[in-house]
Amino acid sequence: KRQYQRRVHGDNRAQIAPMPGRFQYFIKVVPTLFEHIDGSSLETNQYSVTEHFQSTVRDVNGMINVIPGVYFVYDFSPIMIHMTERQRHRSRWHFLSNLCSICGGVFTVAGILDRLWFAGWRELKRKMDLGKAM
């Protein structure tokens, strides 16, 4: 039997409302499929919760503007997250290919910088010869 990491966010403490009011909990649920290297899979859900509290306040006529209660609003996602576990097999050829691409990028950037420096120096020298620089 596989053990899965359980993630719990928040402080897990009970809260006591300072006054009566309306508690709203917005729950977003996303279906998730985990596929492991050994071929086993697990269908589960990921969720997030946002809470909102609005206290009851009487208006000038003495009427309550918020009905006290606890409300749950569920939002089920129509899109499923599909996660596949893979091993990273990198060969020597893959390493050499990455090394060549890095070296090529370094030479390309160095060539661009050299060209800009040379063109700027040549323009400055031309203006100095004409007596217009500084």
Side-chain angles (χ1 to χ4, degrees):
K1 187 173 179 179
R2 255 186 201 272
Q3 292 290 332
Y4 296 98
Q5 180 181 4
R6 182 177 177 211
R7 294 186 203 170
V8 178
H9 300 287
D11 54 9
N12 292 330
R13 290 185 290 170
Q15 295 178 350
I16 299 173
M19 61 184 67
R22 176 172 54 196
F23 290 90
Q24 290 180 306
Y25 295 94
F26 301 94
I27 304 161
K28 296 182 181 183
V29 181
V30 180
T32 305
L33 175 66
F34 291 103
E35 287 188 357
H36 300 281
I37 294 174
D38 62 3
S40 65
S41 62
L42 172 69
E43 287 189 40
T44 185
N45 294 301
Q46 297 182 46
Y47 68 93
S48 65
V49 178
T50 304
E51 64 180 67
H52 178 70
F53 174 75
Q54 189 175 7
S55 62
T56 56
V57 179
R58 294 189 183 272
D59 62 9
V60 292
N61 298 328
M63 302 294 292
I64 296 175
N65 62 354
V66 173
I67 299 173
V70 178
Y71 300 93
F72 297 95
V73 179
Y74 288 94
D75 181 18
F76 294 99
S77 175
I79 299 172
M80 176 184 257
I81 295 176
H82 188 170
M83 298 180 71
T84 304
E85 187 178 35
R86 293 185 227 165
Q87 286 182 338
R88 295 177 100 179
H89 289 295
R90 297 223 170 147
S91 65
R92 290 185 182 132
W93 296 112
H94 185 82
F95 172 75
L96 288 174
S97 173
N98 280 347
L99 187 64
C100 289
S101 64
I102 290 169
C103 291
V106 168
F107 281 119
T108 301
V109 170
I112 291 170
L113 293 175
D114 181 57
R115 178 69 179 149
L116 291 173
W117 176 260
F118 179 73
W121 180 254
R122 186 177 55 195
E123 186 67 22
L124 182 65
K125 187 175 180 185
R126 187 180 68 81
K127 285 187 177 184
M128 287 176 70
D129 291 342
L130 295 175
K132 294 183 179 181
M134 296 183 207

